[in-house]
Amino acid sequence: MSQKKPNSMILGTGKAVPERILTNHDLEKMVDTSDEWIRTRTGIERRHIADDHIKNSDLASQAARAALEDAGISAEEIDVILLATVTGDATFPATACYVQEKIGAVNAAAMDLSAACSGFLYGMTLADSLIAAGKAKHVLVIGVEILSRITDWTDRSTCVLFGDGAGAAVFGPAKNGAGVIDTYMKSDGRLTHLLCMIGGGTSVPMKVAVEENLIYLKMEGPEVFKAAVTAMGDAAARILEANGMTGDDVDLLIPHQANIRIIKATSKRLGLDDEKVYINVQEYGNTSAASIPIAIAEAREKGILKPGMTTLLVAFGGGFTWGSAIVKF
Ligand code: ACO
């Protein structure tokens, strides 16, 4: 097993999900689908949806405050805020700046990061690097999405999959052997067209996007599925091998929660039993950048993820982007 000494560790975690729940049975009344189809194809039973007045930065701030409290760190002690999202409050400024104002992190530099479902893993890689380089002591990493606002609620092939929420983690200097052991990131920009929302950017400005109905997320589900199974399995196997570890050294796999079948394929490749895999896709659906930090916070709250445990995080998303991390709690 790896002897690598970590530079940073997770000091505290928090999550925020909207109260309103949309079940598979609710969706049966909206599009031609069934609870049975959604559960067997995806594992999803319900998802949380933000009411119209709730902003991305509201959910992010709620999760951030919970993470700060859990870490015992004041907002003033945060040096950098990295917020991963594809559904920010505005095109600019960065949603991280709205969060900075809301939580009072007056001493921080704040910026957003766009890596779809891999956003939190990318963010924690940067947080770990900033702390290792001595550029920051405390970094707040947030993964947050309000995907319901870019979902076409008449398209059954996508609207059953996604949900809203936020998760956050405070990173600080490692101590007592706990911390980020390693991280891995990769992208393939040849596959941008398979999962995207092009309307509203500068290639298809918002006015044109509205006229041409390009205002929703589009996904080639089966293509994304195949790529996700391969990339998540590869990312997990690769980081374990690079650190002289096997699935036996992992206490808990915390994968991106997109689809139960992708999660099972990943855990099977690593030879992990079900009790070593954290799954909450049934409750939240795919919350993209928020999915891993929500899962970490929830697993800690439930006492499933305990101090001393070695976790393997793995994600895949639009871009395509993917990655993995080994974190000792
Ligand atoms: N209800 C009922 N039937 C449906 C639904 C639905 N909601 N959606 C599609 N179908 C139908 C299709 O029309 C098709 O019918 P047909 O055979 O008559 O043509 C049939 O079900 C099978 O459709 P597929 O798309 O082939 O179904 P598949 O088994 O591939 O499951 C799914 C679709 C769940 C979307 C799967 O492909 C998937 O999970 N893809 C990956 C999504 C993902 O992981 N994304 C991660 C990144 S997300 C991000 O980055 C934001």
Side-chain angles (χ1 to χ4, degrees), residues 32-34 37-38 41-42 116-117 147 156-157 160-162 195 217 219 221-222 224-225 228 256 258-259 261-262 286 288 316-318:
D32 181 14
T33 192
S34 67
W37 191 97
I38 302 170
R41 296 290 178 121
T42 72
C117 306
L147 292 167
R156 70 175 183 174
S157 71
V160 302
L161 302 174
F162 301 103
L195 178 51
L217 172 160
M219 179 170 76
V224 175
F225 185 90
H256 170 48
N259 184 312
R261 293 186 291 145
I262 299 173
N286 180 350
S288 191
F316 178 88

Side-chain angles (χ1 to χ4, degrees), residues 26 40 109 267 277:
D26 295 328
T40 52
S267 59
V277 187

Side-chain angles (χ1 to χ4, degrees), residues 4 7-10 80 82-84 111 113 115 117-136 139-142 169-171 179-187 235 239 292 296 313-315 321-327:
K4 187 176 168 241
N7 293 299
S8 75
M9 68 182 289
I10 292 178
V80 180
L82 296 171
L83 184 145
M111 70 195 91
L113 193 160
C117 306
S118 310
F120 182 80
L121 276 188
Y122 275 42
M124 64 175 278
T125 302
L126 299 181
D128 181 53
S129 306
L130 286 166
I131 292 166
K135 297 281 183 191
V139 182
L140 173 63
V141 183
I142 306 167
V170 177
F171 288 78
V180 179
I181 308 290
D182 201 5
T183 60
Y184 167 70
M185 302 189 286
K186 186 76 174 66
S187 309
I239 199 167
I292 286 182
I296 295 173
L313 317 179
V314 57
T321 59
W322 62 97
S324 52
I326 299 170
V327 183

Side-chain angles (χ1 to χ4, degrees), residues 274-294:
D274 286 355
E275 66 270 17
K276 282 189 161 189
V277 187
Y278 194 76
I279 299 173
N280 64 7
V281 69
Q282 70 281 0
E283 178 64 32
Y284 304 113
N286 180 350
T287 58
S288 191
S291 120
I292 286 182
I294 288 175

